[in-house]
């Protein structure tokens, strides 16, 4: 099983840099095409929620547009910098099929819908753990990647410090209970399992 198309969800926050770094390392080692997806909320969506008079009169639209622009600029700067460190061609047309490359993809709309749609076009979705809490239930984008894309998702711990340039995939633990979900997880992880030097299969027979 080949890993040729990777999608990384990246909002531009510093705690997401571990996910971005890992996605680029994986793209490089698997000669894959990486799409770094940055989603901006559509200001028009708030009009239907609160009413046009309230939204327009309060200046909410302008504030959302300003925030979207700032996050977009920051995300693009990070992606450009990391692509250079990994020697990945960024937004370069006519890259040979079997060469690693990266693309910065900026879309506007509902994050959960966009992530689910774009994730289904990928072999792997890389996301970052939310800042400040271990759960992901309040993140529409992360939830969509995990449950609505139908593709394997790799969730990376948040990290803001010095990042290793190498993806460490030599030792892997596989949770197994014989279920359909476990089989799908194993199959989705096969490109990583094939490269592992050690594989531990974890089985819990009781609670």
């Amino acid at each position: 099983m080949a890993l040729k198309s990777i999608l990384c969800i990246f909002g531009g926050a510093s705690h997401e840099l571990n996910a971005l770094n890992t996605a680029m390392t994986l793209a490089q080692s698997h000669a894959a095409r990486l799409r770094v997806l940055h989603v901006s909320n559509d200001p028009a969506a708030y009009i239907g929620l609160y009413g046009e008079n309230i939204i327009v009169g309060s200046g909410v639209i302008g504030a959302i547009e300003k925030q979207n622009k700032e996050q977009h600029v920051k995300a693009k700067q990070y992606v450009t910098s990391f692509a250079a460190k990994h020697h990945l061609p960024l937004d370069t047309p006519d890259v040979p099929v079997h060469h690693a490359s990266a693309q910065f993809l900026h879309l506007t709309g509902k994050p959960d819908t966009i992530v689910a749609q774009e994730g289904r076009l990928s072999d792997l979705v890389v996301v970052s753990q939310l800042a400040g809490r271990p759960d992901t239930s309040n993140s529409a984008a992360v939830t969509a990647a995990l449950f609505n894309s139908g593709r394997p998702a790799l969730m990376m711990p948040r990290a803001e410090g010095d990042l290793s340039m190498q993806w460490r995939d030599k030792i892997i633990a596989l949770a197994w209970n014989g279920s359909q979900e476990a089989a799908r997880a194993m199959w989705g992880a096969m490109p990583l399992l094939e490269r592992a030097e050690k594989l531990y299969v974890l089985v819990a027979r009781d609670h």
Side-chain angles (χ1 to χ4, degrees), residues 10 12 17 20 24 38 69-85 90 104:
F10 185 62
L17 292 179
L20 178 64
M24 290 197 172
H38 178 79
K69 184 177 180 179
E70 291 175 350
Q71 291 177 336
H72 174 227
V73 170
K74 184 183 296 185
K76 185 62 181 290
Q77 289 175 341
Y78 275 133
V79 173
T80 301
S81 174
F82 273 61
K85 290 179 181 179
L90 177 64
F104 182 76

Side-chain angles (χ1 to χ4, degrees), residues 4-136:
K4 292 302 177 185
S5 178
I6 301 173
L7 181 71
C8 178
I9 313 303
F10 185 62
S14 58
H15 74 268
E16 299 173 288
L17 292 179
N18 192 26
L20 178 64
N21 185 69
T22 298
M24 290 197 172
T25 304
L26 284 171
Q28 197 174 47
S29 61
H30 289 264
R33 178 172 180 260
L34 169 65
R35 291 178 300 141
V36 182
L37 175 62
H38 178 79
V39 181
S40 295
N41 289 312
D42 185 2
Y46 291 84
I47 295 178
L49 185 63
Y50 296 104
E52 183 174 359
N53 293 334
I54 296 177
I55 294 297
V56 174
S58 63
V60 171
I61 294 293
I64 295 174
E65 291 176 340
K66 180 182 178 182
Q67 184 181 35
N68 284 345
K69 184 177 180 179
E70 291 175 350
Q71 291 177 336
H72 174 227
V73 170
K74 184 183 296 185
K76 185 62 181 290
Q77 289 175 341
Y78 275 133
V79 173
T80 301
S81 174
F82 273 61
K85 290 179 181 179
H86 286 272
H87 306 290
L88 280 177
L90 177 64
D91 297 329
T92 303
D94 302 326
V95 176
V97 176
H98 298 293
H99 287 70
S101 64
Q103 175 191 5
F104 182 76
L105 181 61
H106 177 219
L107 299 176
T108 300
K110 295 181 62 178
D112 54 345
T113 301
I114 292 176
V115 169
Q117 291 174 344
E118 295 297 326
R120 292 165 190 160
L121 305 176
S122 309
D123 297 322
L124 177 70
V125 182
V126 181
V127 295
S128 175
Q129 184 183 38
L130 293 183
R133 54 175 179 254
D135 67 280
T136 62

Side-chain angles (χ1 to χ4, degrees), residues 121-205:
L121 305 176
S122 309
D123 297 322
L124 177 70
V125 182
V126 181
V127 295
S128 175
Q129 184 183 38
L130 293 183
R133 54 175 179 254
D135 67 280
T136 62
S137 58
N138 294 327
S139 171
V142 174
T143 301
L146 291 173
F147 302 110
N148 299 332
S149 68
R151 310 305 298 161
L154 178 63
M155 179 177 289
M156 297 303 300
R158 60 190 184 96
E160 302 178 15
D162 185 27
L163 299 171
S164 170
M165 296 301 292
Q166 297 298 322
W167 161 248
R168 305 298 182 183
D169 57 355
K170 300 304 181 184
I171 302 176
I172 296 180
L174 173 69
W176 180 259
N177 63 359
S179 65
Q180 177 181 342
E181 293 81 5
R184 289 187 62 189
M186 180 182 68
W187 178 252
M190 196 60 69
L192 304 181
L193 298 177
E194 290 174 343
R195 298 187 176 214
E197 294 179 355
K198 289 184 179 180
L199 172 62
Y200 294 93
V201 180
L202 307 182
V203 179
R205 302 194 181 279

